[in-house]
């Protein structure tokens, strides 16, 4: 199904909650719906941007174009061999629900990314990260619709050129060339945690550590540390951690 609305205030579609209007706000449930939308005469004439939960975006003025929003949901296991499990999730799935689903299914690899706002689709654009883990560590493939060549494409993790909160999707011409429809992740059945980072290291002495314990701990720390965007408009950090050569790090640490 496709839902199209006109002259929509984006305040409730972004975590900043700041008013800015778009000419068209269109939601789609499937890849076919997305293609149908993009082929419609009214969308062919205007600039397009696809948003998720709007937790890393600020519209500084009205947008004279179409804002698209994925409602492609669903999480499925596509391969289950030995310790490795490949999982495919729709771009509209809430990221934290996906992390919760993985914990429920005893799948390791994304628990450190608990409580990050946003969607599965954006995780592959932004290369989200926290507590020593980044989306690129678990992404296997990214499925996207190419708005230039008008066809579906599947990118390997290498082709996504991931860097620190960066990917090739952020550097395309035109800027919004690819719309992510599904992301495939490589998760693990092997009980292994990455708890060397910051406050998580406190958990090292817990001999009964579980996915749920790590997830709950991170959720509590984040809830204490970060503003609740439903109360105070926010888009998370405004800066990236500086990356410095080891020699400079050692000098600063002295
Ligand atoms: C309180 C708070 C804490 C946060 N903490 C973290 C953190 O710890 N680590 C971290 O990495 N980030 C963090 N963020 C930032 C944010 O959660 C991530 O950037 C998240 O991935 C944004 O997801 P979204 O669905 O809201 O994307 P949006 O904000 O809607 O979009 C972000 C960008 O991705 C593009 N995009 C979205 N979906 C698609 C799609 N399907 N196809 C193509 N392009 C798309 C948009 O056009 C836009 O350029 C935080 C944000 C907040 C508000």
């Amino acid at each position: 199904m496709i839902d199209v609305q006109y002259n929509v205030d984006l305040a409730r579609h972004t975590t900043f909650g700041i008013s800015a209007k778009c000419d068209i706000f269109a939601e789609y449930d499937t890849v076919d719906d997305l293609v149908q939308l993009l082929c419609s005469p009214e969308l062919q004439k205007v600039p397009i941007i696809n948003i998720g939960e709007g937790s890393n975006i600020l519209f500084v003025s009205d947008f004279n174009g179409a804002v698209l929003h994925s409602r492609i949901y669903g999480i499925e296991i596509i391969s289950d061999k030995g310790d490795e499990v490949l999982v495919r999730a729709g771009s509209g799935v809430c990221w934290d629900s996906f992390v919760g689903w993985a914990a429920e299914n005893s799948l390791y690899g994304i628990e450190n990314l608990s409580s990050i706002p946003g969607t599965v689709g954006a995780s592959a654009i932004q290369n989200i990260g926290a507590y020593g883990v980044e989306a690129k560590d678990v992404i296997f493939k990214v499925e996207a619709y190419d708005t230039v060549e008008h066809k579906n494409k599947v990118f390997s993790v290498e082709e996504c050129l991931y860097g620190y909160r960066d990917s090739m999707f952020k550097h395309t011409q035109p800027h919004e060339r690819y719309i992510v429809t599904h992301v495939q992740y490589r998760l693990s059945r092997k009980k292994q945690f990455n708890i060397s980072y910051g406050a998580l290291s406190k958990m090292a002495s817990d001999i009964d550590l579980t996915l749920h314990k790590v997830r709950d701990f991170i959720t509590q720390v984040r809830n204490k540390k970060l503003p609740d965007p439903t109360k105070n408009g926010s888009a998370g950090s405004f800066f990236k951690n500086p990356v410095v050569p080891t020699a400079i790090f050692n000098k600063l640490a002295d």
Side-chain angles (χ1 to χ4, degrees):
M1 210 172 99
I2 295 170
D3 280 321
V4 180
Q5 297 169 64
Y6 299 92
N7 200 25
V8 169
D9 188 348
L10 294 164
R12 69 180 186 86
H13 296 289
T14 64
T15 52
F16 264 123
I18 291 174
S19 273
K21 286 197 169 168
C22 64
D23 294 342
I24 300 171
F25 186 80
E27 298 184 277
Y28 53 92
D29 289 344
T30 64
V31 179
D32 286 346
D33 292 342
L34 170 64
V35 176
Q36 195 186 321
L37 253 178
L38 292 169
C39 293
S40 66
E42 65 178 350
L43 260 77
Q44 292 206 329
K45 287 182 270 173
V46 294
I48 282 168
I49 180 173
N50 193 98
I51 65 166
E53 289 179 6
S55 64
N56 206 229
I57 202 162
L58 172 64
F59 285 91
V60 290
S61 59
D62 290 347
F63 182 69
N64 296 121
V67 174
L68 306 190
H69 181 248
S70 167
R71 290 189 310 211
I72 303 179
Y73 301 127
I75 303 172
E76 55 173 336
I77 291 179
I78 51 175
S79 160
D80 194 343
K81 287 186 203 141
D83 285 339
E84 185 183 287
V85 179
L86 296 182
V87 180
R88 180 176 187 254
S91 53
V93 172
C94 161
W95 173 259
D96 194 50
S97 306
F98 178 54
V99 181
W101 176 92
E104 284 303 315
N105 286 277
S106 305
L107 294 173
Y108 296 76
I110 50 174
E111 57 283 358
N112 289 19
L113 304 179
S114 290
S115 252
I116 297 182
T119 53
V120 158
S123 75
I125 303 282
Q126 311 279 71
N127 185 23
I128 55 170
Y131 294 100
V133 173
E134 289 176 289
K136 73 167 174 54
D137 302 333
V138 287
I139 285 176
F140 177 56
K141 286 184 177 166
V142 177
E143 300 174 35
Y145 185 77
D146 182 346
T147 59
V148 171
E149 292 183 14
H150 300 287
K151 60 181 183 187
N152 294 309
K153 288 192 177 166
V154 181
F155 296 98
S156 67
V157 67
E158 291 80 17
E159 288 171 316
C160 296
L161 301 177
Y162 284 120
Y164 174 45
R165 305 293 174 271
D166 198 19
S167 69
M168 70 86 178
F169 299 107
K170 291 187 169 188
H171 304 281
T172 54
Q173 285 300 330
H175 186 55
E176 302 289 332
R177 175 169 180 173
Y178 298 110
I179 297 183
V180 174
T181 57
H182 293 87
V183 186
Q184 299 176 22
Y185 302 90
R186 195 198 304 257
L187 303 181
S188 174
R189 288 212 184 277
K190 200 166 160 195
K191 186 170 179 178
Q192 53 191 5
F193 298 100
N194 182 346
I195 50 167
S196 53
Y197 195 92
L200 278 189
S201 56
K202 278 188 199 157
M203 308 192 97
S205 56
D206 185 341
I207 51 167
D208 289 321
L209 199 55
T210 63
L211 278 172
H212 286 288
K213 280 190 189 172
V214 174
R215 184 164 155 66
D216 290 349
F217 180 81
I218 289 176
T219 303
Q220 276 173 27
V221 172
R222 290 185 63 104
N223 285 348
K224 265 192 220 151
K225 227 169 78 173
L226 295 166
D228 175 355
T230 60
K231 295 191 182 115
N232 298 304
S234 158
S237 291
F238 276 73
F239 59 87
K240 287 183 171 182
N241 288 329
V243 179
V244 294
T246 314
I248 294 182
F249 171 79
N250 289 337
K251 209 172 158 194
L252 291 171
D254 271 350

